[in-house]
Amino acid sequence: MKKLIAALAIAATVLLVAGFVYVLMFMEDTENPPAGQSQSGGDSTSNARLNAPKAVETDADVLDALDYYTQRNQDTVAWLRVPGTKINDPVLQSHDNFTYLRTDEFREYDLYGCYFADWECSIGPRSVLSPNTVVYGHSDLTDQADGPRFSQLFHFADPEFAAATPVIHFSTLEEQMTWEVFAVIYTNTSFSYIDAEPEGGAQALAQAAMEKSIYDYGVTVGEEDKILTLSTCSVRDNPQDRSQRFVVMARLLPADAEVPQKATVTPRTPE
């Protein structure tokens, strides 16, 4: 009988010690969650988003936002803001044009991906920009301007909006830059508008784009000008044709240029 009582006492002691150790281990795991997982059961990325900077409205806001996003993803290279739309987000760039098709700014899966620059483009201050800086983004394939991401570009299909929105802001950590819109195009991938170094130079590309534009902006693009090209998918002519594109193009304004407050747009029939 004494041996049984002793055995039970030892077993109870072992269970108590094991339980105490388990509690300590559980507390340690809770205070120090595995990499990428927060105490609330979410992930560190979600927490990071809670600390996101305020909405970008000024040049100072752009620098704050770029600093925030570059700390979380070093592929962040620029900030894109289109007045009058919800386009006010970072631009990413990878070693290819596939990484960010379905991946957002935080490297998480997203059906609409994020805005990303063509991998062949040189991004930085105006002095190192490629002749043609190309930025891609998804639309929701309705050609309506109320959708996510670059669906918002379809606002430019409205002449009143186009007239009220003469410029686009595409800036880097090195320089704040403003671009004057000169073409709005419905086209397809047979038009070679996505080359960072277009054949014949920026002026030749701009001329071809203006001939396809639904508006005549009356803007002149010279040989030394830099171009910004925003591209998304369109389904205007055939919902089954995935080669259709909607494109907005702008030229980089000189750093000391007066920023136009309104554009003169004349609707035209593209050639």
Side-chain angles (χ1 to χ4, degrees):
M1 185 66 178
K2 290 182 178 181
K3 290 182 178 181
L4 177 59
I5 294 174
L8 290 173
I10 293 173
T13 301
V14 170
L15 288 173
L16 285 172
V17 172
F20 180 71
V21 171
Y22 174 80
V23 169
L24 288 178
M25 291 176 63
F26 178 79
M27 291 176 62
E28 181 178 353
D29 284 344
T30 302
E31 294 173 356
N32 301 286
Q37 184 176 357
S38 69
Q39 292 185 28
S40 63
D43 54 53
S44 56
T45 295
S46 298
N47 283 346
R49 296 186 188 193
L50 295 177
N51 299 319
K54 63 180 181 180
V56 172
E57 297 177 353
T58 67
D59 290 349
D61 294 339
V62 170
L63 293 177
D64 288 343
L66 281 174
D67 179 65
Y68 168 84
Y69 281 98
T70 52
Q71 288 186 43
R72 286 152 181 81
N73 189 342
Q74 293 185 349
D75 285 346
T76 304
V77 294
W79 193 269
L80 176 65
R81 181 161 58 95
V82 180
T85 76
K86 296 178 182 178
I87 300 170
N88 193 9
D89 298 280
V91 176
L92 288 292
Q93 186 181 45
S94 186
H95 61 280
D96 58 37
N97 287 338
F98 305 101
T99 299
Y100 289 104
L101 279 174
R102 302 298 179 192
T103 305
D104 70 8
E105 300 88 344
F106 296 95
R107 299 181 184 272
E108 294 185 335
Y109 174 80
D110 190 306
L111 178 64
Y112 291 100
C114 63
Y115 305 126
F116 63 96
D118 191 284
W119 73 278
E120 292 188 315
C121 291
S122 175
I123 307 293
R126 67 179 61 224
S127 60
V128 306
L129 287 175
S130 299
N132 184 27
T133 299
V134 183
V135 178
Y136 304 105
H138 286 298
S139 73
D140 61 4
L141 297 179
T142 67
D143 284 28
Q144 299 299 311
D146 57 355
R149 295 295 185 181
F150 266 176
S151 300
Q152 297 282 310
L153 283 182
F154 288 98
H155 279 293
F156 281 97
D158 176 3
E160 291 187 6
F161 177 89
T165 313
V167 298
I168 292 169
H169 304 282
F170 176 88
S171 301
T172 65
L173 279 169
E174 295 84 4
E175 187 172 358
Q176 308 277 338
M177 291 173 280
T178 301
W179 308 68
E180 184 178 21
V181 180
F182 66 81
V184 175
I185 308 164
Y186 285 97
T187 187
N188 57 47
T189 54
S190 66
F191 177 35
S192 184
Y193 66 89
I194 62 171
D195 295 332
E197 302 277 347
E199 184 177 353
Q203 187 178 38
L205 173 61
Q207 183 60 42
M210 286 188 280
E211 291 173 358
K212 294 178 177 292
S213 178
I214 62 176
Y215 307 121
D216 180 358
Y217 275 89
V219 174
T220 300
V221 179
E223 292 183 4
E224 302 303 318
D225 279 328
K226 302 288 181 74
I227 294 175
L228 175 66
T229 298
L230 309 182
S231 176
T232 194
C233 292
S234 170
V235 293
R236 184 185 68 163
D237 297 327
N238 182 357
Q240 306 305 317
D241 182 3
R242 291 296 184 260
S243 71
Q244 296 177 91
R245 299 291 184 268
F246 185 75
V247 182
V248 177
M249 302 179 76
R251 73 177 185 102
L252 178 59
L253 288 173
D256 59 351
E258 182 177 348
V259 178
Q261 301 303 306
K262 195 172 182 63
T264 300
V265 297
T266 304
R268 59 187 299 277
T269 301
E271 297 180 8

